[in-house]
């Protein structure tokens, strides 16, 4: 390292047109919309049929989340309503709001968020405990049924929000509440006798405590994280025992008793875990905390576990769009190379969690594969969770959807045909919102004297030593990325660039307009910067690529996906009149790219004529099966749009994978 | 008609090697095995994991079905155990046993079956009512919750058995019990005030009453059938109202309250029904009774309804194997052209029911399409329900199975990898058994002076006027079918032959060794018979055929199935070492046929070298997705076995549809 001191990133301002449209939308539309929802000021009818699997509110949005806090605070009277983690809808919103205040200051909003912090403070008990459902409905059962309670999950979400709000606004109360909460957990959980020897049924507290540790630098939070990470799965009967002690049939969420310990990722100690399994969001949230803890402690067993689990997900269980969780049953992972496109769960929260996990991994390992996943999620699997107008959301993100199958009420009833204005379990809307609002945190990583730019989203970033990097880029539509580096102190440092996997065979780097021979290690190109002003140009491959899945993935055999830059494309009925499965791409199809600024918030379409479509007249008299007939095709055209933008026009079929 | 009198079929003796192996197995092994099971004399461990979705008995076969009857009869004391239709396991077994007594007389067995008839008579109440769970556990709730009770379903199954046993053995008591039961229903159900205005949640009584009517010729049973057929769905709130009256949360099968009326096929009156939907067995059993009633009454609306529903199933919702019911959720039909091969339900009972339905249709319409389905079921979808050794059974018959997916406990946990010795809901074992045991009833239909031979299963059949037809055939393996017709009275009659759909473009008919130009109407060839001895030879197409599904079936796009004669083939890992989805058939693959007498009870295998397999080295470093790589193949060989014989060797993948 140059002078024994790490470089620091002080501020990142996103200037990307693509992302500023979303980030303005979040600040100006989404945050107020969700605030009104949490305060029960919106009365939107939901389609009851579409919600059979989501616990919902008689077809009406009625969050009651703020009201629950008011009741717990003694401000109003009433009963708790909603899920037992309803509080987290407020916390995730608060966290998202905090991020927007950094790029879009808004005194009105800050007044509201200050008030909410006050309210949360009032609802919090003396010892730091806060879970309104327990405080209101079952105060004697606190921490007694962790399998189902979501208490640690809820408090974890507040801790994240409190830290974020403190960092955004310097509101000390917000941080104080978070610390009090963590102290409450520290008081109740740990190896000491008299404390509870177990972890919450839904991981989240681990990643939250790591954030609190990084902000406060208080070692006890690191220790508590380590306790939760390592205690999980040590006693696979922990939940069963707690349930028996609390009254075996005294469930508040009976369904959760039916699943095995694997669902909670609590079937084995972390050091023995080698596959992602069970409830996808639980598993990946756990991985986020694990990876963060491992990175900070340098514990080899934990570092190995992070990499093992990463590899299992990304190399064996992740969809091309970045979505994870292959089944609705338990919102869960299934098995390696099992990737059904039509019954997939692919929860938006799981993609947000994968982005968190990837950030922890890239922060520790400058290997492009981690940042590739951040890019994959933010441009595809996670972003699909929010509509172009910001006020409708997907919980489930399929790679194939046929309305008639979704509506028949059977195996695909969780595959909604349209995004929804809210959910009974409303974890996803605020989750994708907070990710977009904090996107500036996902562009750079620093190690020693190396600044890694791993996402090509236009921005101006300020670093220590007065270094300023202005990144100009029109990704995801154009491939030239220019970095204007101002280094007034002529500091000697390394500037590292991720070479995206979609461009690894075709990219160019220019330093001050001169092509250089790139020095690439693990997908990262390193440049030495010494001058006071350097212009680095990265030219990425914007050809359209045909993607095939590993031959172990039976569901994608004989099919291809199409990707251009970071964007995975899909076909929709809105652009293509035949049944999507009847199109057949020619070998090496050529696509033309067309940017349409007025379509879907501005998208690049792909169009090919190298496609034929199965003739409908195939079978006389409507036979279901034909003997020895050949398929007949006629020439056709196929138009693709970015996957994230699907289901924003008229209802119809959608498919990512296309027959070839 | 020749002389105003219908010809009659007096006796059919099956001589087919293929079927006599099964029919001997049924008489000598299956009937005793199931008898022991029903009497709790067998102690077989079931694989608990495999039964998550079947209500089972702590991993032990414990039918308790005979015991329930003994308790109801007052012979022993105790509680009812098992499903509320547990009685039907006895009745279906009794029916199957009755059929075996006709072709395999057995005094020991007949003593046992006589005793069981006695026992049933003792268990039956004075008024004819019989449902042991109600008699033992809830005598005051008889007929009060028809949505869930299965009372009419249970009594229907007895009526079928009673009629069959009476016809086989002339046991008058068996028929008397059946009539008393039907009289009890007649007393309690009907349009008159004071009677119940509704039908049972699970159809079956309709088809049973029609059988009773045909045996007894008592008009009231026809009227009662008509009442049940036409009342169904007239008041879609009937079940809801009954449930409320009986106590809304007083369910004995709560799950059944969750489904809509469509599940019970009770959402609309029969005259308005135009799609098969809801629980597949309920729907098809209903169709059997409907078609039988329509045929006898000549009611045009009912005849139209039968044809409409037939067409929807066979032309839009039936698998190539004959299996029906596309989803495990509700064991149900889904929507037209939705035919997933890997999550299918395809219950054995539903295929048995389709055989019944097809028999009612062919009896009324000499159109080959109906008999084609009988053939499809008995050689494929239904037969798959029983193992080669007769003592293991499938409830669910998939068209694709991958053990790792079945065992992950999610969307495919109902797809068992092996047949099972019994089930908690044990409807399927005795159902496939009674079908095999009564196969002689499925070979001929007569209308006026026309004898239609529609199944090419070797047999000797005796008709009125001393006509004897000896059919020689080695189907399903060889295609020459010879009919030696003895007509000593030189009766002038028509002999009709179905031309199977798989042979319609390539068949020959010889009369006394002279080729004739066939006169084919609706897939049936008619011959005038006058001489005292006529030899008719039908030569069918035994080439291997490549089958494609309608282009509306997205799940089968780019795939083909293989059929030879009536047999649909499949690939199994036992014969093919690569993942089955990685094989790709060439265009117009040539198959060689090889009969192996010692394999799987004697089967014809198909082998092709016109196949390549995807190379495993495809993606370096185990990437899940590759950019712009071409698939590479190496040449290979693929061996197929009949679908009905799958899962009788070592556990492995199975697929009916193959990539091309």
């Amino acid at each position: 390292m140059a002078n024994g001191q790490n470089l620091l990133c002080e501020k990142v301002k996103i200037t990307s047109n693509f992302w500023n449209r979303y980030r303005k939308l979040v600040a100006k539309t989404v945050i107020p919309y969700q605030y009104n929802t949490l305060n029960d000021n919106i009365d939107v009818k939901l389609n009851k049929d579409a919600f059979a699997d989501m616990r919902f509110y008689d077809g009406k949005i009625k969050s009651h989340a703020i009201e629950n806090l008011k009741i717990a605070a003694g401000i109003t009277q009433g009963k708790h309503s909603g899920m037992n983690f309803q509080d987290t809808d407020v916390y995730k919103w608060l966290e998202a709001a905090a991020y927007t205040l950094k790029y879009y200051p808004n005194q009105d909003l800050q007044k509201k968020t200050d008030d909410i912090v006050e309210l949360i403070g009032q609802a919090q008990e003396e010892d730091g405990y806060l879970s309104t459902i327990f405080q209101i409905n079952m105060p004697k059962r606190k921490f007694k049924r962790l399998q189902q309670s979501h208490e640690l999950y809820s408090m974890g979400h507040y801790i994240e929000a409190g830290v974020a709000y403190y960092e955004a606004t310097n509101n000390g109360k917000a941080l104080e509440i978070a610390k009090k909460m963590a102290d409450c957990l520290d008081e109740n959980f740990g190896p000491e006798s008299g404390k509870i020897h177990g972890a919450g049924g839904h991981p989240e507290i681990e990643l939250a405590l790591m954030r609190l540790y990084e902000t406060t630098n208080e070692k006890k939070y690191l220790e508590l994280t380590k306790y939760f990470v390592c205690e999980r799965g040590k006693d696979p009967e922990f939940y069963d025992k707690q349930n028996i002690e609390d009254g075996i049939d005294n469930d508040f969420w009976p369904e959760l008793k039916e699943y095995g310990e694997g669902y909670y990722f609590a079937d084995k100690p972390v050091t023995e875990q080698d596959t992602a399994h069970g409830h996808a969001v639980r598993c990946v949230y756990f991985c986020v905390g694990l990876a963060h803890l491992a990175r900070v402690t340098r514990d080899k067993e934990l570092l190995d576990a992070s990499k093992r689990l990463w590899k299992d997900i990304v190399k064996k269980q992740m969809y091309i769009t970045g979505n994870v969780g292959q089944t609705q049953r338990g919102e869960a992972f299934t098995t390696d190379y099992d990737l059904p496109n039509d019954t997939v769960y692919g929860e938006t929260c799981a993609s947000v969690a994968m982005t968190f996990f990837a950030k922890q991994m890239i922060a520790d390992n400058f290997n492009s594969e981690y940042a590739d996943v951040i890019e994959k999620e933010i441009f595809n699997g996670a972003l699909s969770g929010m509509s172009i107008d910001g006020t409708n959301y997907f919980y489930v993100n399929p790679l194939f959807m046929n309305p008639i199958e979704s509506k028949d009420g059977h195996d695909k009833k969780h595959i909604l045909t349209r995004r929804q204005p809210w959910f009974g379990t409303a974890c996803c809307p605020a989750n994708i919102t907070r990710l977009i609002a904090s996107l500036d945190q996902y562009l750079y990583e620093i190690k020693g004297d190396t600044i890694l730019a791993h996402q090509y989203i236009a921005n101006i970033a300020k670093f220590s030593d007065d270094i300023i990097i202005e990144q100009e880029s029109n990704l995801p539509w154009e491939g030239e990325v220019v970095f204007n580096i101002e280094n007034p102190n002529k500091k000697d440092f390394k500037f590292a660039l991720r070479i995206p996997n979609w461009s690894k065979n075709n990219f160019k780097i220019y330093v001050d307009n001169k092509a250089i021979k790139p020095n690439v290690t693990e997908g990262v190109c390193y440049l030495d910067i010494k001058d006071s002003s350097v212009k680095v140009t990265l030219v990425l491959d914007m050809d359209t690529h045909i993607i095939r899945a590993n031959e172990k993935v039976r569901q994608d055999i004989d099919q291809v996906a199409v990707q251009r830059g970071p964007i995975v494309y899909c076909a929709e009925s809105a652009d293509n009149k035949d049944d999507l499965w009847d199109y057949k791409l020619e070998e090496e199809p050529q696509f033309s790219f067309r940017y349409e600024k007025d379509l879907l918030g501005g998208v690049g379409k792909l169009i090919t004529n190298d496609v034929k479509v199965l003739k409908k007249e195939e079978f006389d008299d409507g036979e279901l099966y034909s003997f020895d007939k050949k398929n007949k095709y006629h020439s056709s055209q196929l138009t693709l749009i970015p996957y994230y933008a699907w289901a924003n026009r008229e209802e119809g079929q959608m498919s990512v994978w296309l027959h070839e």
Side-chain angles (χ1 to χ4, degrees), chain A:
Chain A
M1 199 177 312
N3 50 9
Q5 218 181 337
N6 272 3
L7 277 167
L8 294 172
C9 180
E10 291 169 357
K11 188 178 165 60
V12 177
K13 184 183 170 189
I14 288 180
T15 55
S16 152
N17 286 336
F18 181 91
W19 285 107
N20 273 353
R21 194 195 75 81
Y22 272 106
R23 284 162 64 87
K24 261 188 211 159
L25 189 71
V26 162
K28 295 179 74 168
T29 304
V30 179
I31 290 293
Y33 169 77
Q34 296 189 355
Y35 179 80
N36 284 329
T37 305
L38 296 170
N39 280 282
D40 307 323
N41 289 333
I42 290 185
D43 186 21
V44 182
K45 286 261 175 210
L46 297 185
N47 174 2
K48 195 170 173 175
D49 285 344
F51 283 79
D53 266 25
M54 321 268 172
R55 294 145 213 102
F56 67 102
Y57 298 78
D58 299 331
K60 258 195 175 184
I61 289 180
K62 201 80 184 167
S63 160
H64 212 264
I66 294 283
E67 189 63 21
N68 289 334
L69 285 162
K70 286 184 183 163
I71 297 167
I75 295 166
T76 59
Q77 304 289 311
K79 288 180 72 174
H80 180 278
S81 174
M83 307 301 297
N84 40 7
F85 47 80
Q86 203 80 349
D87 303 348
T88 65
D89 296 348
V90 179
Y91 305 153
K92 265 189 280 190
W93 174 86
L94 175 63
E95 185 186 342
Y99 299 135
T100 67
L101 289 171
K102 288 189 1 187
Y103 68 83
Y104 197 81
N106 176 337
Q107 286 196 336
D108 273 3
L109 176 63
Q110 194 163 343
K111 170 77 176 64
K112 286 174 179 150
T113 46
D114 281 346
D115 287 350
I116 284 182
V117 169
E118 272 309 309
L119 172 63
I120 293 168
Q122 287 175 273
Q124 185 175 37
E125 305 208 337
E126 205 45 57
D127 68 351
Y129 183 93
L130 179 46
S131 169
T132 62
I133 192 166
F134 283 87
Q135 293 168 260
I136 299 168
N137 291 3
M138 31 190 175
K140 294 200 171 146
R141 295 177 70 190
K142 289 174 195 165
F143 299 140
K144 291 203 188 304
R145 209 177 188 89
L146 294 165
Q147 183 191 54
Q148 302 167 20
S149 74
H150 287 72
E151 290 158 290
L152 277 58
Y153 169 85
S154 296
M155 293 199 235
H157 268 303
Y158 176 78
I159 292 170
E160 280 199 274
V163 168
Y165 196 66
Y166 166 73
E167 287 179 348
T169 65
N170 220 16
N171 179 321
K173 176 83 182 173
L175 185 63
E176 188 196 307
I177 297 167
K179 288 173 65 177
K180 240 174 108 177
M181 233 173 234
D183 293 343
C184 168
L185 298 178
D186 195 32
E187 201 61 40
N188 282 281
F189 292 85
E192 299 85 354
S193 85
K195 290 188 178 181
I196 302 163
H197 307 318
H202 196 317
E204 145 71 21
I205 189 65
E206 303 80 1
L207 74 93
L209 286 170
M210 284 309 297
R211 293 193 65 178
L212 184 62
Y213 165 69
E214 292 219 317
T215 295
T216 62
N217 220 13
E218 286 192 34
K219 197 102 194 276
K220 62 179 170 183
Y221 302 137
L222 184 69
E223 290 303 320
L224 188 57
T225 311
K226 189 162 186 181
Y227 179 74
F228 284 132
V229 166
C230 296
E231 183 62 25
R232 183 167 218 88
K234 263 199 187 155
D235 176 6
E237 286 167 16
F238 170 71
Y239 297 133
D240 286 347
K241 289 182 203 160
Q242 263 213 332
N243 289 347
I244 290 166
E245 202 165 318
D246 188 42
I248 187 67
D249 289 324
N250 203 9
D251 304 295
F252 25 82
W253 196 342
E255 187 184 340
L256 288 192
K257 207 171 57 188
E258 303 302 313
Y259 297 114
E261 300 307 308
Y263 171 85
Y264 307 95
F265 210 64
D267 48 336
K268 285 186 272 194
V270 59
T271 49
E272 293 170 26
Q273 293 287 12
D274 49 15
T275 63
H277 57 267
H279 186 265
V281 176
R282 286 170 211 251
C283 177
V284 183
Y285 272 0
F286 177 78
C287 289
V288 179
L290 164 67
H292 197 159
L293 174 69
R295 174 165 72 83
V296 169
T297 59
R298 316 308 308 156
D299 181 304
K300 187 173 178 314
E301 282 199 307
L302 299 182
L303 286 166
D304 287 349
S306 313
K307 286 195 183 172
R308 221 160 48 227
L309 293 168
W310 173 271
K311 200 167 169 183
D312 183 64
I313 297 172
V314 173
K315 306 240 172 181
K316 296 180 180 170
Q317 299 203 70
M318 191 173 72
Y319 288 88
I320 181 69
T321 49
N323 294 105
V324 297
Q326 299 101 312
T327 177
Q328 185 271 336
R329 287 205 186 182
E331 308 183 326
F333 286 105
T334 60
T335 56
D336 293 349
Y337 303 109
D338 176 39
L339 292 160
N341 296 302
D342 55 348
T343 53
V344 47
Y345 208 64
E347 185 176 337
T348 300
C349 286
S351 276
V352 171
M354 279 304 296
T355 318
F356 297 169
F357 188 14
K359 181 175 163 58
Q360 291 306 325
M361 297 304 280
I362 189 73
D364 202 39
N365 311 271
F366 282 6
N367 182 323
S368 61
E369 71 166 301
Y370 303 112
D372 282 344
V373 169
I374 294 177
E375 185 184 68
K376 191 181 271 296
E377 297 294 358
I378 62 177
F379 282 107
N380 303 283
L383 191 57
S384 163
M386 182 184 281
S387 62
I388 297 297
D389 71 3
T391 59
N392 285 277
Y393 311 94
F394 271 136
Y395 195 115
V396 169
N397 297 277
L399 278 82
F400 173 88
M401 189 280 286
N402 184 11
I404 197 172
E405 295 175 39
S406 289
K407 289 173 183 174
D408 82 1
H410 294 104
D411 300 322
K412 290 144 207 153
K413 66 180 176 178
H414 62 292
I415 308 284
L416 303 190
T417 63
R418 322 293 296 155
R419 292 176 185 80
Q420 298 295 317
W422 207 246
F423 299 93
T425 292
C427 48
C428 296
N431 224 349
I432 178 60
T433 304
R434 67 176 174 149
L435 179 63
I436 294 170
S438 61
L439 202 64
D440 47 292
Q441 298 177 20
Y442 291 83
L443 310 189
Y444 295 96
E445 291 297 335
I446 295 177
K447 262 210 231 178
D449 63 351
T450 302
I451 296 174
L452 169 65
H454 60 78
Q455 297 301 319
Y456 302 125
I457 289 172
N459 70 86
I460 302 172
K462 198 170 170 320
F463 297 86
S464 51
D465 274 307
D466 300 326
I467 296 166
I468 290 177
I469 299 179
E470 182 185 16
Q471 186 186 142
E472 295 167 1
S473 152
N474 193 25
L475 267 180
W477 314 125
E478 293 170 25
E480 187 175 283
V481 186
V482 175
F483 298 88
N484 296 307
I485 302 172
E486 286 174 45
N487 182 22
N489 304 334
K490 297 194 178 181
K491 184 171 166 68
D492 200 345
F493 72 99
K494 283 196 164 51
F495 183 54
L497 294 166
R498 173 185 64 113
I499 309 305
N501 64 342
W502 44 268
S503 192
K504 70 178 171 197
N505 298 323
N506 179 15
F507 68 94
K508 290 209 175 66
I509 295 175
Y510 302 85
V511 176
D512 291 331
N513 300 320
K514 269 178 286 190
I516 61 145
K517 191 166 179 301
N519 159 27
V520 178
T521 308
E522 295 187 327
V524 174
C525 174
Y526 292 85
L527 302 173
D528 290 311
I529 306 293
K530 290 173 182 142
D531 296 344
S532 62
S533 175
V534 181
K535 177 183 173 189
V536 175
T537 308
L538 171 65
V539 181
L540 296 168
D541 176 9
M542 296 306 282
D543 285 349
T544 301
H545 295 285
I546 294 297
I547 298 180
R548 285 190 176 76
N550 190 300
E551 75 288 332
K552 297 193 183 91
V553 182
R554 70 175 179 88
Q555 291 95 348
D556 299 335
I557 285 286
D558 279 351
Q559 294 185 84
V560 295
V562 177
Q563 182 169 342
R564 181 181 179 276
I567 299 287
V568 175
Y569 278 77
C570 71
E572 270 200 312
S573 294
D575 300 304
N576 305 287
K577 70 176 175 24
D578 285 294
D579 285 330
L580 296 180
W581 52 88
D582 285 339
Y583 288 89
K584 206 173 168 83
L585 286 170
E586 309 282 355
E587 250 193 286
E588 301 185 42
Q590 297 301 305
F591 287 89
S592 62
F593 175 79
R594 190 191 301 161
Y595 182 77
E596 297 201 10
K597 73 175 173 31
D598 298 325
L599 181 68
L600 298 164
V603 293
K605 278 163 74 166
L606 290 176
I607 300 162
T608 186
N609 292 315
D610 296 339
V611 66
K612 53 194 184 178
V613 68
L614 211 51
K615 278 202 178 171
K616 286 293 176 200
E617 314 75 24
E618 185 64 7
F619 305 130
D620 16 313
D621 67 7
E623 288 299 330
L624 195 44
Y625 302 103
S626 72
F627 284 83
D628 306 314
K629 285 199 185 165
K630 293 235 176 74
N631 284 331
K632 283 181 197 150
Y633 297 91
H634 53 79
S635 57
S636 188
Q637 188 178 68
L638 190 66
T639 298
L640 308 179
I641 61 156
Y643 172 72
Y644 73 80
W646 83 279
N648 278 289
R649 296 176 294 172
E650 63 264 35
E651 186 178 275
Q653 300 164 2
M654 182 279 292
S655 188
V656 170
W657 291 93
L658 304 163
H659 289 274
E660 60 156 348

